[in-house]
């Protein structure tokens, strides 16, 4: 939760810098966001590849565990599409692009802003990116705060699915506590697959 607040404060600080014109360059004309995206993707690859337990995790998994990330993706996209019925300003594909962040707020917000700028303009693209940032931060917070209730009423797999990409890091201690240590490999595997799917799904829906 602390990390989410720090990201939010940096975002607000960036908005203030942009409004006041303090920065000596125009972000709308530069490729800074694209370079940030490259850096984020490099970080994702390093974090996955450098895991000391990666081999053990893969060996302990079974094909049926693939159903968990599939359920997470399907459920998230379904309810994101349903949200478009109440948000007339945004299309069904815009809403699904936001949902495709799967709680990866930093990457999804940058991707959406970058991809939608050409079709929506910088103002609306930034607005949609902000929605992605906040909605995925809220998803992480709800997973952190709601894990005990999710486990109690929906079973030991529910906290993993609700956490999205954070099932392998931020929410993992709570998943371990309430769902059991045997769920650790499943949660990490789930988080890795969801993490890898974010750029694909966000890009796909942004270009529809």
């Amino acid at each position: 939760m602390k990390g989410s607040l720090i990201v939010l404060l940096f975002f607000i600080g960036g908005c203030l810098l942009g409004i006041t014109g303090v920065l000596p360059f125009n972000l709308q004309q530069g490729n800074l966001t694209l370079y940030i995206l490259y850096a984020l993707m490099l970080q994702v690859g390093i974090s996955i590849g450098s895991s000391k337990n990666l081999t053990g995790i893969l060996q302990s998994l079974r094909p049926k565990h693939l159903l968990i990330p599939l359920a997470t993706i399907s459920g998230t996209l379904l309810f994101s599409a349903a949200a478009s019925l109440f948000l007339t300003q945004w299309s069904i594909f815009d809403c699904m692009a936001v949902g495709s962040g799967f709680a990866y707020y930093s990457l999804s917000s940058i991707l959406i802003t970058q991809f939608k700028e050409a079709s929506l303009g910088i103002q609306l693209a930034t607005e949609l990116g902000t929605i992605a940032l906040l909605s995925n931060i809220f998803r992480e917070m709800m997973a952190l705060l709601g894990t005990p209730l999710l486990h109690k009423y929906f079973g030991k797999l529910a906290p993993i699915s609700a956490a999205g990409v954070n099932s392998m890091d931020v929410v993992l201690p709570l998943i371990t506590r309430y769902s059991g240590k045997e769920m650790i490999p499943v949660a990490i595997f789930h988080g890795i697959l969801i993490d890898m799917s974010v750029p694909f799904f966000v890009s796909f829906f942004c270009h529809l």
Side-chain angles (χ1 to χ4, degrees), residues 76-92 95-96:
T76 300
L77 295 181
L78 178 62
F79 281 93
S80 298
S84 66
L85 300 175
F86 306 96
L87 303 173
T88 55
Q89 181 180 357
W90 306 106
S91 71
I92 184 174
C95 292
M96 293 175 78

Side-chain angles (χ1 to χ4, degrees), residues 73-134:
I73 293 170
S74 301
T76 300
L77 295 181
L78 178 62
F79 281 93
S80 298
S84 66
L85 300 175
F86 306 96
L87 303 173
T88 55
Q89 181 180 357
W90 306 106
S91 71
I92 184 174
F93 299 121
D94 292 335
C95 292
M96 293 175 78
V98 170
S100 296
F102 302 113
Y104 199 161
Y105 46 82
S106 55
L107 178 60
S108 61
S109 59
I110 291 175
L111 283 172
I112 289 174
T113 303
Q114 184 77 26
F115 290 141
K116 298 299 291 187
E117 183 177 349
S119 59
L120 297 178
I122 184 63
Q123 182 174 347
L124 287 178
T126 303
E127 184 177 337
L128 189 62
T130 303
I131 293 172
L133 174 72
L134 295 176

Side-chain angles (χ1 to χ4, degrees), residues 102-191:
F102 302 113
Y104 199 161
Y105 46 82
S106 55
L107 178 60
S108 61
S109 59
I110 291 175
L111 283 172
I112 289 174
T113 303
Q114 184 77 26
F115 290 141
K116 298 299 291 187
E117 183 177 349
S119 59
L120 297 178
I122 184 63
Q123 182 174 347
L124 287 178
T126 303
E127 184 177 337
L128 189 62
T130 303
I131 293 172
L133 174 72
L134 295 176
S135 63
N136 284 291
I137 284 177
F138 289 150
R139 177 169 182 168
E140 179 186 289
M141 290 182 175
M142 290 175 65
L144 283 168
L145 298 174
T147 290
L149 294 176
L150 289 169
H151 174 263
K152 180 178 180 179
Y153 292 106
F154 301 103
K156 60 185 179 181
L157 295 178
I160 297 175
S161 184
V165 299
N166 295 309
S167 66
M168 65 178 180
D169 44 48
V170 178
V171 191
L172 185 58
L174 286 172
I175 292 172
T176 304
R177 178 178 178 181
Y178 290 97
S179 296
K181 293 182 179 180
E182 68 275 9
M183 288 291 103
I184 292 178
V186 178
I188 295 176
F189 177 67
H190 172 271

Side-chain angles (χ1 to χ4, degrees), residues 12-34:
I12 294 172
C15 291
L16 293 175
L17 289 173
I19 292 171
T20 56
V22 172
L23 296 177
F25 50 85
N26 188 347
L27 293 181
Q28 298 181 25
Q29 297 176 356
N31 293 318
L32 181 61
T33 54
L34 190 59

